[in-house]
Amino acid sequence: MKKLFLLLSKKAVRRSVSILVPEGEPDRNSKKEVWKFVIQTVINILAAVLTALGATSCVKML
């Protein structure tokens, strides 16, 4: 039963990946997409840190 589950899950993953990333079509803007992702991640991390600092400063005033 466990082997059957593993086999079916592997097939499902392969199908979903093949749908998301078509074969034979190179990504021409891969560097641009990587930098876009990095910048968005840094902005989101900074926003989370600043939100946490703002919340703690508000709690201190109580």
Side-chain angles (χ1 to χ4, degrees), residues 11-27 33:
K11 284 186 178 182
V13 168
R14 285 185 192 144
R15 285 183 185 166
S16 62
V17 169
S18 66
I19 290 171
L20 294 175
V21 181
E23 292 182 19
E25 191 175 315
D27 188 14
E33 294 297 322

Side-chain angles (χ1 to χ4, degrees):
M1 188 69 164
K2 188 175 183 179
K3 288 182 180 181
L4 177 64
F5 176 73
L6 290 174
L7 179 67
L8 291 175
S9 63
K10 285 181 184 179
K11 284 186 178 182
V13 168
R14 285 185 192 144
R15 285 183 185 166
S16 62
V17 169
S18 66
I19 290 171
L20 294 175
V21 181
E23 292 182 19
E25 191 175 315
D27 188 14
R28 296 181 186 179
N29 297 325
S30 62
K31 287 185 179 181
K32 183 179 178 181
E33 294 297 322
V34 168
W35 279 108
K36 181 180 175 183
F37 176 75
V38 168
I39 291 171
Q40 286 178 343
T41 303
V42 169
I43 290 172
N44 286 331
I45 290 171
L46 288 174
V49 168
L50 293 174
T51 302
L53 290 174
T56 55
S57 69
C58 289
V59 170
K60 283 183 180 179
M61 294 296 177
L62 292 177

